[in-house]
Amino acid sequence: MDTDASEPILKPYHRHHHDHHNSPTPVKASDALPLPLYLTNGLFFGLFFSVAYFLLHRWREKIRNSTPLHIITFPEIVGIVCLAASIIYLLGFFGIGFVQSCISRGSHDSWDVEEDNGGGCSPEEPPTCTLAPISRAKVVAPTIQEPFLSGDDDEVIKGVVSGTIPSYSLESKLGDCKRAAAIRREALQRMTGRSMEGLPLEGFDYESILGQCCEMPVGFVQIPVGIAGPLLLNGKEYMVPMATTEGCLVASTNRGCKAIYASGGASSVLLKDAMTRAPVVRFGTSKRAAELKFFVEDPANFDTLSVAFNRSSRFGRLQNIKCTVAGKNLYMRFGCSTGDAMGMNMVSKGVQNVLDYLQPDFPDMEIIGISGNFCSDKKPAAVNWIEGRGKSVVCEAIINEEVVKKVLKTNIDTLVELNMLKNLTGSAMAGALGGFNAHASNIVSAVFIATGQDPAQNVESSHCITMMESVNDGKDLHISVTMPSIEVGTVGGGTQLASQSACLNLLGVKGASKDSPGSNSRLLASIVAGSVLAGELSLMSAIAAGQLVRSHMKYNRSSKDVSKIPS
Ligand code: ADP
């Protein structure tokens, strides 16, 4: 173990920097002197009180002797400098945490409720799980009521195994996320009698996921990232990172990019940008449910409702409200633009504001749930396919005959026919919902994982209809992908983690766009659609040319004898 369990209570503010070689750790005032922490603190405390005493003493003397206060001697100048230095040090060390703990004590965030039960988050509804930075700070901040655990690692592991120390509380009790993960992992191995060897623990910044991305970590899964590209889209080139363990996928997408590039590139249009949330409310009668429907859908009320909704964030802007009634129940689907965030948090907060605003005028409205599934998040649903959710994008390219022949090894007529019989007719026969494509979800998932998107939103983000048509008297192929619900963001969630943020950086869409908020996430959605276009083109060509099985045998089957791999 790399931390000293007997280190004093202040440890979280003076974290061990070697734990975080992956991310830059802010330099603290306490790092200035090469002394143990308690000596540095003692030194500055001593300095502060002795200098303060000296200066007050001098001040009193000056008043007694009627000496003007602005006449300052050299020892007094030194005293004032030392006082300022010690105040800066002590504020830098204790001040921030103290202010934060005061603020977080005052704010009634979800963590206050969740901490007791080990976290009441529903994975289906991420908004309530994501914590504001202040509440995250609270997890590691020491409190008088709950001092950090002392004792060596083995003692703590035994506590977790016996159940006296809840596993979920390790981060807050130890004040050291890496040590918490190591202890939890060892306890898990002892409890199950199974080894976790192979799942790495080292080389990950566990602080970066605290209260944000993953609870109770014991390590991290490695997924290789391959690069497809350049994808020539709207006149610009992008190297697309894809995290996958499926052989052929990156190679195939890369071939599609090559065909698009050789034909002059693809172009895309963003048709809509609106994340949605639909609460369900209940009334005593269907008539009352319908009255609220007519009220919120009345254009005359839109501005008033927008004002209430938009208070949630400077980026969330209400665009529309679409309602549906089921008996006495009303589902109101709020759509709003969310800047560079994927936006579920933002839209949920806005919806809550509107419900609070409506309640006095509709006192008989019973709020059953902030999400009533008419949203619809992470489930196949026609509403997303028809109305869109997140970014709706259409992307197209014209591939010339020569490229179809030389790069894709097939011909236009075969491709058009295959598309009609497979992606359109075949999917219709299968009763597909948004699945009128060859493998959009392959590309969507790989790009989502690489760039820190929510992989569960692959469900609706992969909705796609692929169209192919021969144009210019049969000399060129027009291919398009229409994707109505690509849910992506470049801030929040997993996008801030080191690896994912490196992939966003490669695409030039890292973080919030300063010039035009929302343009980074919109560009990312277009890149996703462009990559899907490349993937569709290549896989369809492989099937048309009868190459699919052959190339999978080449790329997916290594010469390793699977029977000899230890189980
Ligand atoms: P989500 O709504 O996708 O769950 P988060 O709430 O985790 O996202 O992150 C969005 C946060 O980022 C908000 O607090 C918002 O104020 C902030 N933010 C900063 N810059 C931007 C931007 N350009 N677009 C959207 N949000 C931004």
Side-chain angles (χ1 to χ4, degrees):
M1 294 301 139
D2 59 329
T3 48
D4 180 1
S6 62
E7 212 168 3
I9 201 165
L10 298 165
K11 195 163 63 174
Y13 292 113
H14 188 72
R15 286 177 193 125
H16 291 242
H17 292 184
H18 58 263
D19 283 350
H20 313 303
H21 31 242
N22 277 347
S23 66
T25 316
V27 177
K28 298 184 184 76
S30 54
D31 300 336
L33 294 179
L35 293 173
L37 185 61
Y38 67 93
L39 277 184
T40 319
N41 283 339
L43 189 72
F44 277 97
F45 263 120
L47 190 68
F48 174 79
F49 286 116
S50 49
V51 170
Y53 176 77
F54 168 73
L55 289 173
L56 283 173
H57 192 72
R58 295 288 307 140
W59 192 23
R60 198 181 62 172
E61 265 187 8
K62 280 186 183 180
I63 291 169
R64 275 191 188 161
N65 304 338
S66 305
T67 314
L69 289 179
H70 64 273
I71 297 175
I72 302 173
T73 61
F74 180 71
E76 287 167 352
I77 294 175
V78 174
I80 291 168
V81 170
C82 288
L83 186 71
S86 54
I87 288 175
I88 290 170
Y89 172 88
L90 293 171
L91 265 183
F93 196 84
F94 298 104
I96 306 298
F98 175 71
V99 171
Q100 284 187 338
S101 67
C102 286
I103 295 169
S104 59
R105 219 171 291 143
S107 73
H108 303 285
D109 54 42
S110 51
W111 186 262
D112 294 333
V113 183
E114 286 154 15
E115 202 171 29
D116 288 338
N117 60 14
C121 301
S122 149
E124 180 210 330
E125 309 297 348
T128 54
C129 301
T130 313
L131 305 173
I134 285 167
S135 54
R136 259 177 260 144
K138 189 183 168 189
V139 181
V140 287
T143 61
I144 293 160
Q145 299 85 348
E146 195 185 355
F148 288 124
L149 279 176
S150 56
D152 65 12
D153 286 356
D154 201 54
E155 242 175 81
V156 183
I157 292 166
K158 281 183 186 147
V160 175
V161 171
S162 67
T164 53
I165 301 172
S167 179
Y168 69 79
S169 71
L170 282 173
E171 277 77 5
S172 59
K173 286 206 156 83
L174 296 170
D176 178 337
C177 295
K178 161 84 185 306
R179 187 171 165 227
I183 286 175
R184 179 178 296 115
R185 177 192 176 98
E186 182 51 32
L188 182 68
Q189 293 187 121
R190 290 190 197 173
M191 283 188 288
T192 60
R194 296 203 171 265
S195 166
M196 300 287 298
E197 202 190 331
L199 184 84
L201 173 73
E202 300 292 335
F204 189 78
D205 179 5
Y206 291 92
E207 305 265 348
S208 69
I209 57 170
L210 182 67
Q212 171 97 12
C213 294
C214 178
E215 298 75 37
M216 302 204 280
V218 292
F220 58 100
V221 165
Q222 295 165 301
I223 303 176
V225 175
I227 293 292
L231 169 70
L232 183 55
L233 180 66
N234 300 327
K236 293 209 174 104
E237 292 181 19
Y238 302 97
M239 300 303 290
V240 183
M242 300 176 72
T244 182
T245 51
E246 184 179 345
C248 270
L249 181 59
V250 182
S252 175
T253 312
N254 195 47
R255 180 172 81 143
C257 289
K258 189 177 169 188
I260 292 170
Y261 195 100
S263 303
S267 57
S268 68
V269 180
L270 187 109
L271 303 166
K272 202 169 171 183
D273 180 8
M275 179 42 71
T276 62
R277 178 55 95 203
V280 50
V281 297
R282 183 166 58 194
F283 286 89
T285 61
S286 303
K287 187 166 171 279
R288 283 291 290 158
E291 272 169 22
L292 180 55
K293 170 188 159 66
F294 295 135
F295 179 85
V296 298
E297 285 183 345
D298 185 345
N301 295 325
F302 184 79
D303 285 348
T304 321
L305 294 174
S306 299
V307 170
F309 186 99
N310 295 347
R311 277 206 303 265
S312 70
S313 159
R314 67 204 149 105
F315 300 101
R317 290 291 166 265
L318 185 65
Q319 294 192 355
N320 53 61
I321 311 169
K322 208 168 194 78
C323 297
T324 193
V325 169
K328 302 182 295 160
N329 308 296
L330 176 67
Y331 300 79
M332 297 174 275
R333 192 173 188 260
F334 291 78
C336 88
S337 55
T338 55
D340 287 309
M342 180 272 288
M344 296 252 24
N345 261 324
M346 226 178 259
V347 67
S348 299
K349 285 184 211 157
V351 166
Q352 189 60 55
N353 289 345
V354 174
L355 293 177
D356 293 344
Y357 171 80
L358 290 171
Q359 190 79 76
D361 290 334
F362 292 86
D364 50 340
M365 174 179 78
E366 188 188 352
I367 300 169
I368 303 295
I370 185 85
S371 164
N373 272 9
F374 188 53
C375 318
S376 182
D377 194 37
K378 302 177 183 174
K379 294 162 279 277
V383 73
N384 295 334
W385 173 238
I386 296 166
E387 294 288 334
R389 186 165 201 257
K391 276 79 175 156
S392 307
V393 181
V394 59
C395 184
E396 66 186 336
I398 294 178
I399 312 294
N400 60 53
E401 198 175 26
E402 192 72 1
V403 172
V404 173
K405 214 180 283 169
K406 291 223 168 101
V407 179
L408 301 172
K409 314 273 190 268
T410 184
N411 62 69
I412 293 174
D413 288 344
T414 313
L415 269 176
V416 170
E417 184 180 50
L418 177 69
N419 190 67
M420 197 260 290
L421 292 177
K422 173 184 163 65
N423 287 343
L424 306 183
T425 316
S427 294
M429 296 309 289
L433 177 56
F436 301 92
N437 59 78
H439 70 152
S441 76
N442 257 336
I443 290 91
V444 170
S445 305
V447 178
F448 266 37
I449 294 169
T451 58
Q453 310 307 312
D454 188 337
Q457 289 184 323
N458 154 67
V459 173
E460 58 270 33
S461 296
S462 299
H463 283 347
C464 169
I465 183 162
T466 300
M467 311 280 288
M468 291 191 196
E469 226 179 285
S470 83
V471 292
N472 302 334
D473 296 329
K475 290 214 164 4
D476 294 324
L477 170 77
H478 182 275
I479 175 170
S480 66
V481 292
T482 308
M483 304 180 68
S485 42
I486 302 178
E487 296 154 342
V488 288
T490 58
V491 295
T495 61
Q496 62 172 30
L497 302 179
S499 334
Q500 289 85 337
S501 133
C503 291
L504 288 169
N505 192 41
L506 177 72
L507 292 169
V509 294
K510 181 179 161 183
S513 164
K514 300 217 163 37
D515 307 332
S516 155
S519 60
N520 276 356
S521 64
R522 288 195 290 267
L523 177 55
L524 180 58
S526 306
I527 294 171
V528 168
S531 309
V532 167
L533 188 82
E536 289 292 279
L537 193 56
S538 183
L539 176 58
M540 290 297 285
S541 302
I543 296 173
Q547 289 172 341
L548 185 67
V549 176
R550 224 177 313 134
S551 61
H552 267 276
M553 292 314 288
K554 184 172 161 198
Y555 288 100
N556 273 8
R557 303 276 177 266
S558 71
S559 51
K560 269 187 204 156
D561 183 348
V562 184
S563 65
K564 294 208 176 105
I565 296 173
S567 56

